[in-house]
Amino acid sequence: PEAEVANLVMKLSTRMMLFPLGSDTEDVEETCAVAIATVLDSADGFYATGWESLLEAIDSLVGARGTESGRRMVARLEILRRLDEEWEKLLAKKDNISKMLVKTFKEDTERILKR
């Protein structure tokens, strides 16, 4: 259930960033960034759907559609450093699920970490 909740939170955060409903953009960005940070703090490992949702949510803040205030929020909460720590844990694991996750999301993860 924890992984499912994390996945849903990331999907909701991404949707909020891509389709804000007249809200103050900075408030939406802050909400999304705090949700990402919370998932990174509380998740005990990731499955493919959860990792994909996490990357999409982070990309909505730092990617092409992101704004300067979103990027500042990501930096302030050290989201990219924390993502890198989780990525390193995945790289070190030897189980088949982790290996598949690394193979599937290597390019996208490394692209986001370079920002």
Side-chain angles (χ1 to χ4, degrees):
E2 183 179 301
E4 292 172 13
V5 170
N7 187 34
L8 290 173
V9 167
M10 292 300 91
K11 285 183 177 185
L12 176 61
S13 295
T14 302
R15 301 264 188 276
M16 286 172 56
M17 286 300 302
L18 297 178
F19 308 105
L21 300 174
S23 300
D24 180 24
T25 304
E26 285 191 34
D27 286 344
V28 174
E29 291 167 338
E30 182 177 6
T31 301
C32 184
V34 169
I36 293 166
T38 302
V39 167
L40 285 168
D41 283 344
S42 62
D44 187 30
F46 287 90
Y47 293 102
T49 55
W51 192 260
E52 182 177 31
S53 296
L54 179 67
L55 293 179
E56 288 173 354
I58 295 171
D59 193 50
S60 73
L61 289 170
V62 301
R65 292 183 176 202
T67 66
E68 212 38 55
S69 62
R71 290 180 187 94
R72 280 193 307 272
M73 184 64 63
V74 166
R76 188 176 67 112
L77 295 174
E78 299 182 325
I79 288 172
L80 295 182
R81 179 192 58 78
R82 293 154 72 182
L83 177 69
D84 188 45
E85 288 174 0
E86 290 298 323
W87 183 241
E88 290 299 322
K89 289 178 191 175
L90 282 171
L91 290 172
K93 290 185 177 181
K94 302 297 181 201
D95 63 277
N96 288 335
I97 291 174
S98 296
K99 288 180 181 179
M100 183 219 44
L101 214 156
V102 166
K103 182 178 178 182
T104 303
F105 296 106
K106 182 176 179 28
E107 184 178 321
D108 291 336
T109 302
E110 291 179 351
R111 176 182 50 81
I112 288 172
L113 287 172
K114 288 180 182 177
R115 295 187 184 266

